[in-house]
């Protein structure tokens, strides 16, 4: 099963279940996974605890062997039913704390924790003062400490914390405060509001001129998932308000050759489904998560595949090669980062990107290890 919120007032990720269905069409056209047909169930998680719990109960009822490449902030609601049924959660988006604490969760990235800690490192060399606009939620409450842990790597002062509603229609008050507190000299305003990040920067752009004089000296920034290539394209490409923005991501830039196999599958099997954008972080995460599932099932070489067999194989130390999209992934005890609240992180590498001429490109080649930075967060 793959679930994600769709048509809600907050963050939506319709590309994730759509990518899962595309992956199934492709792999079944090749004879399945080690001779097994891949049947994908999808569920609208609705960005609610009730929706997440309902999707998890359906996964149990339908005897899903794994939940793969999914998005939900409601970790407590979905993880308990999965744990009771022994169903592994492979490659969630990395937004819920339970994804990094449950023994049945196998994250493929370092989650929002790694992104935000890495973002602090990315900003430390360019920004004297940083304003952070983030959701006024339990998950959002952890972000200031993570950003500060990255900023402190360069003996930098902490960011100004500005909580905001996750589903607001406009953010003029928060934008004004963020702009003022960042200052005119080498100030940076970063927003991590998921789908509403675009709304925030629209409010920021509309501030009265006298309140944003010398605006060119204020750099804007965010993390992948809050700002990605589809958002930049929708907001004007080279003329987007995100031109020049710093962005921290989990994976190589969307144009990297490592994504070529995924692009080919999307081109041939998505059937013009515009939800499946190869530059979307949710789509990318789902591709990697199903890559994990495929390798595990192929290495089992068994007639019957069960949830227990999959989780045991991962616990035994099955090493997964994702073709350069991540470091090799393995979830044995010695591979776990062990950071408080994020014990299950095994991939603590991020990429530093910047928006140039309407495209997200690498600011610095390769991956940056942020494991120590996440560990140093309070």
């Amino acid at each position: 099963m793959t679930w994600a919120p769709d048509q809600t007032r907050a963050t939506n990720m319709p590309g994730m279940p759509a990518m899962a269905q595309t992956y199934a069409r492709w792999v079944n056209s090749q004879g399945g996974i080690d001779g097994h047909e891949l049947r994908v169930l999808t569920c609208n998680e609705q960005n609610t605890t009730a929706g997440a719990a309902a999707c998890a109960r359906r996964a149990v009822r339908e005897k899903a062997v794994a939940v793969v490449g999914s998005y939900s902030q409601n970790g407590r609601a979905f993880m308990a039913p999965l744990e009771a049924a022994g169903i592994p959660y492979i490659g969630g988006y990395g937004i819920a704390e339970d994804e990094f604490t449950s023994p049945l969760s196998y994250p493929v990235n370092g989650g929002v924790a790694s992104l935000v800690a890495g973002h602090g490192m990315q900003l430390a060399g360019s920004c004297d003062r940083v304003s952070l606009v983030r959701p006024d939620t339990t998950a959002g409450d952890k972000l200031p400490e993570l950003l500060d842990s990255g900023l402190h790597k360069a003996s930098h002062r902490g960011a100004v914390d500005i909580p905001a509603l996750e589903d607001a229609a406009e953010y003029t008050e928060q934008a004004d405060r963020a702009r003022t507190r960042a200052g005119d000299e080498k100030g940076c305003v970063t927003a991590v509001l998921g789908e509403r990040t675009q709304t925030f920067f629209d409010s920021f752009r509309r501030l009265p001129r006298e309140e944003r004089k010398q605006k060119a000296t204020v750099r804007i920034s965010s993390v992948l998932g809050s700002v990605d290539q589809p958002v930049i394209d929708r907001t004007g490409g080279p003329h987007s308000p995100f031109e020049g923005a710093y962005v921290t991501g989990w994976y190589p830039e969307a144009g990297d050759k490592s994504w070529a196999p995924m692009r080919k599958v999307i081109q041939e099997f998505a059937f013009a489904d515009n939800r499946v954008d190869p530059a979307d972080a949710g789509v990318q995460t789902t591709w990697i998560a199903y890559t994990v599932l495929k390798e595990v099932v192929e290495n089992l070489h068994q007639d019957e595949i069960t949830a227990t067999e999959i989780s045991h194989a991962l616990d035994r130390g099955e090493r997964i090669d994702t073709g350069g999209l991540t470091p090799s992934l393995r979830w044995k005890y010695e591979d776990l980062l062990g950071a408080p609240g994020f014990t299950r992180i095994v991939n603590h590498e991020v990429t530093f990107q910047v928006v140039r001429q309407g495209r997200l490109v690498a600011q610095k080649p390769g991956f940056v290890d942020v494991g120590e930075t996440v560990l140093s967060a309070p």
Side-chain angles (χ1 to χ4, degrees), residues 277-338:
D277 189 324
D280 177 81
V283 168
Q284 294 173 346
T285 300
T286 303
W287 169 264
I288 294 170
Y290 273 94
T291 299
V292 172
L293 178 72
K294 182 173 183 286
E295 286 203 30
V296 170
V297 172
E298 285 175 343
N299 291 334
L300 283 173
H301 297 301
Q302 293 188 5
D303 291 337
E304 184 180 359
I305 305 298
T306 66
T308 301
E309 296 278 2
I310 290 173
S311 56
H312 282 180
L314 291 167
D315 292 339
R316 284 195 303 268
E318 190 75 52
R319 188 178 291 278
I320 308 296
D321 178 6
T322 63
L325 298 174
T326 68
S328 63
L329 301 172
R330 194 177 69 164
W331 292 271
K332 287 190 79 171
Y333 179 78
E334 57 265 32
D335 302 305
L336 305 179
L337 182 62

Side-chain angles (χ1 to χ4, degrees), residues 135-194:
D136 191 7
T137 63
T138 303
D141 290 344
K142 294 186 177 296
L143 302 188
E145 293 176 348
L146 288 161
L147 187 73
D148 287 351
S149 69
L151 290 170
H152 292 158
K153 283 290 180 182
S155 301
H156 204 288
R157 74 177 80 181
V160 177
D161 179 27
I162 303 175
L165 287 176
E166 195 176 25
D167 58 355
E170 58 87 31
Y171 293 96
T172 303
E173 180 185 340
Q174 292 84 0
D176 185 30
R177 186 175 166 212
R179 172 67 187 81
T180 302
R181 297 296 298 273
D184 290 331
E185 276 302 315
K186 294 183 71 176
C188 290
V189 171
T190 188
V192 182
L193 290 166

